[in-house]
Amino acid sequence: MKNIKRTLLIGLTVGIIFFGWILYEFYSQNWNFNLFSLKDWDYVWNEFVSGWIISATSDWIFIISIVCAIPAFILLWRLFCHIPWGKLFLAAYHQIKRLIMIRNPKQVIQKKIKVKARQSHKKVRPRPMNTTGRPLPKMAGKTMDADTDAALTSAAPESEAGLAKTLNTSTELHPAFLDEDINDIPLEDIKMPERVRLEEDLVTILSESNYQVVKDITLDKIHLAYVGISADQVVLCMADTEKGDWLADEEFFNDEEPLWFSETSHRISPVYQLLTTAKAFDAKVKDRGFAQTVTPILIEKEGTIINAEDMTETWQKLGVIVCRTDLGGPDELPGFEAALPKAADRGTARDLESIRGLF
């Protein structure tokens, strides 16, 4: 029923555009013929009955276009039915949504590094040297009052050796490189902060959390980096290694799979793929009478989910744990060790073999 409605809707749309616009304008501009006028069609029929002799090229074009109109419409109808309009509209919708969210400062906060330039030493008054042997009054800020300045200026040094020693001490306390203006530093020498790698040994974490570990499992065409098996739980761990900044969306549009978008491409949501696989595997577990609870875990390893904070509640409702490790982000996502549910009991070798038999 769904395909019939879609086919009829596409046929209606193509028909309106083909007959109501293209052919209508074609006949109207070339022969002043109204495609939807019974009077004009009656005139053509009378000409045909009265022995219309087709000799002019324009008459042949008129007749051939009339004969080919219906087949051309059917061909266009079939071609347009094979186009995935739902995915095209969904891609356009999410692309617009992604651009709006990226440009909205409330959704994505761009951190800027402010470098405060050091004031030139030519504009900063140096600390006065005590050459009088008397204690100097404390200075407030960078300037002195007029009386103190005059007293220091008129005071004579006790000895040239004392003055030289004081000058040498002042030079040691004020290195020359501090006088360099930061604006003179080449741009390539300024290093921007890089993401700190979250170093975790996932196998060790699973083992210490009472799981028996199975590596590199393909389940329903989905690659699982690790499967943790215990007496009461099974965790399906899928590692997402797609690089780039991703806008996650778990909503269906026109019955099409949810998509994730980057600046240059899009893909089916890995959360949706993992959840679909986990549900099918959970059904197998329950059919065999096993007591383990199946939990899907998506581990972001290379890319960054720019709207992860907004999607956290959605992922919780879906029953999928989304975490990060290595260079995955953002930092708001918990690490794998923090997100992994602890198993009550490690289970036996028989539990491991029983579950492995379902792969």
Side-chain angles (χ1 to χ4, degrees):
M1 188 65 181
K2 169 189 167 183
N3 292 334
I4 293 177
K5 288 182 179 179
R6 180 179 182 274
T7 302
L8 293 177
L9 179 60
I10 293 176
L12 178 62
T13 305
V14 173
I16 291 175
I17 296 175
F18 183 71
F19 291 107
W21 178 38
I22 298 176
L23 284 186
Y24 177 82
E25 291 295 331
F26 177 69
Y27 289 126
S28 178
Q29 295 293 331
N30 291 282
W31 296 282
N32 197 25
F33 178 78
N34 188 347
L35 189 64
F36 303 104
S37 172
L38 294 177
K39 182 179 179 182
D40 289 2
W41 281 106
D42 186 58
Y43 173 78
V44 173
W45 175 254
N46 290 333
E47 286 289 319
F48 179 77
V49 172
S50 62
W52 182 13
I53 299 176
I54 304 174
S55 57
T57 304
S58 61
D59 293 343
W60 278 110
I61 295 175
F62 180 84
I63 294 299
I64 292 174
S65 62
I66 289 292
V67 173
C68 295
I70 299 298
F73 163 69
I74 296 174
L75 179 62
L76 289 173
W77 188 358
R78 288 179 60 86
L79 289 176
F80 278 86
C81 283
H82 288 85
I83 297 176
W85 296 105
K87 290 184 178 180
L88 292 179
F89 288 124
L90 178 64
Y93 164 75
H94 284 293
Q95 192 73 3
I96 295 172
K97 181 178 177 181
R98 181 186 63 81
L99 292 174
I100 293 175
M101 294 185 69
I102 290 178
R103 294 176 181 176
N104 188 349
K106 295 181 179 179
Q107 298 291 341
V108 180
I109 301 175
Q110 297 181 350
K111 298 181 180 179
K112 297 182 179 179
I113 300 175
K114 296 182 179 180
V115 180
K116 185 177 180 182
R118 184 179 180 272
Q119 193 172 5
S120 175
H121 70 284
K122 297 179 181 179
K123 299 180 181 180
V124 179
R125 188 163 190 171
R127 184 182 182 91
M129 295 179 293
N130 187 0
T131 60
T132 63
R134 300 186 301 268
L136 293 176
K138 293 183 178 180
M139 297 170 58
K142 298 179 180 179
T143 61
M144 299 177 293
D145 55 50
D147 295 338
T148 304
D149 187 37
L152 291 173
T153 304
S154 61
E158 294 180 356
S159 64
E160 294 183 359
L163 178 59
K165 183 178 180 181
T166 306
L167 288 173
N168 291 335
T169 304
S170 176
T171 303
E172 292 175 0
L173 294 176
H174 187 72
F177 73 89
L178 292 179
D179 292 334
E180 183 179 2
D181 193 342
I182 195 171
N183 294 323
D184 296 334
I185 300 176
L187 184 61
E188 57 270 16
D189 291 344
I190 300 177
K191 302 297 183 181
M192 300 301 291
E194 299 180 354
R195 174 176 294 281
V196 178
R197 183 187 299 271
L198 179 58
E199 297 183 358
E200 293 181 314
D201 187 339
L202 305 189
V203 175
T204 301
I205 293 173
L206 283 165
S207 181
E208 292 178 350
S209 299
N210 292 330
Y211 288 98
Q212 302 179 75
V213 183
V214 182
K215 299 181 182 179
D216 297 324
I217 294 295
T218 299
L219 189 61
D220 295 338
K221 298 181 179 181
I222 299 299
H223 179 261
L224 301 175
Y226 307 101
V227 175
I229 302 172
S230 70
D232 60 330
Q233 294 195 63
V234 176
V235 290
L236 307 180
C237 303
M238 176 181 177
D240 184 20
T241 57
E242 292 288 340
K243 297 182 179 180
D245 296 333
W246 293 96
L247 181 72
D249 194 347
E250 309 302 342
E251 295 181 2
F252 285 81
F253 183 81
N254 196 20
D255 294 330
E256 302 290 344
E257 297 93 343
L259 299 178
W260 283 21
F261 288 86
S262 69
E263 293 183 358
T264 58
S265 64
H266 65 274
R267 57 179 170 137
I268 298 176
S269 164
V271 169
Y272 168 76
Q273 292 178 310
L274 177 60
L275 182 62
T276 303
T277 301
K279 287 182 178 179
F281 186 74
D282 183 61
K284 290 182 180 179
V285 171
K286 287 182 171 51
D287 288 343
R288 296 292 182 89
F290 298 134
Q292 284 86 346
T293 300
V294 178
T295 302
I297 303 178
L298 178 69
I299 309 170
E300 191 63 43
K301 292 192 66 176
E302 298 289 341
T304 299
I305 308 173
I306 59 178
N307 61 334
E309 187 175 0
D310 297 330
M311 296 300 298
T312 301
E313 185 177 351
T314 300
W315 291 329
Q316 289 177 349
K317 290 180 180 179
L318 292 174
V320 179
I321 296 175
V322 180
C323 58
R324 68 183 182 94
T325 193
D326 203 359
L327 293 177
D331 294 339
E332 286 76 14
L333 285 177
F336 178 73
E337 184 175 11
L340 179 66
K342 301 298 186 294
D345 186 270
R346 185 178 180 83
T348 63
R350 184 177 180 181
D351 294 328
L352 176 63
E353 294 303 321
S354 298
I355 297 300
R356 290 192 62 168
L358 301 179
F359 295 149

